[in-house]
Amino acid sequence: MRIPVAVFGMFVMFVVAVGVLFLGVLGFTPVNACTGTCYAPFMMATVGTVVIGLSATFATWFRALREPRAYFPWIGAALMVALYLVALSVAEQVL
């Protein structure tokens, strides 16, 4: 039962990651010339999402092909949403 839950969780995490990346690039790309802190929300949304996705995928499947850790994709999806919300709050202060 763990394999279908893990595969479905990977699908959900992929959909969440695509949504966060799309909204992050669309919403946090600076339009004015800036340096430093105005890139923080953009980098959080793009780099953070990729790092969380790769980490959750690695934690789910590494050395666990018979019994994958099915909760890591769901944790990864929740962390991606939380990271996007944190990036929104940082963007309110910086941009």
Side-chain angles (χ1 to χ4, degrees):
M1 184 64 186
R2 284 186 176 186
I3 291 176
V5 171
V7 170
F8 184 66
M10 294 295 292
F11 176 73
V12 169
M13 187 176 67
F14 175 75
V15 169
V16 168
V18 168
V20 168
L21 284 172
F22 177 74
L23 292 175
V25 169
L26 192 65
F28 301 136
T29 302
V31 292
N32 298 330
C34 65
T35 58
T37 58
C38 64
Y39 282 108
F42 176 74
M43 295 306 285
M44 288 172 64
T46 55
V47 175
T49 302
V50 172
V51 168
I52 290 171
L54 291 175
S55 300
T57 302
F58 183 75
T60 301
W61 297 105
F62 184 69
R63 293 191 180 218
L65 289 177
R66 289 189 185 170
E67 303 244 348
R69 297 170 198 98
Y71 50 89
F72 273 110
W74 300 99
I75 292 172
L79 284 175
M80 287 177 194
V81 171
L83 180 71
Y84 181 72
L85 295 176
V86 168
L88 276 176
S89 67
V90 168
E92 287 179 357
Q93 297 173 359
V94 174
L95 297 178

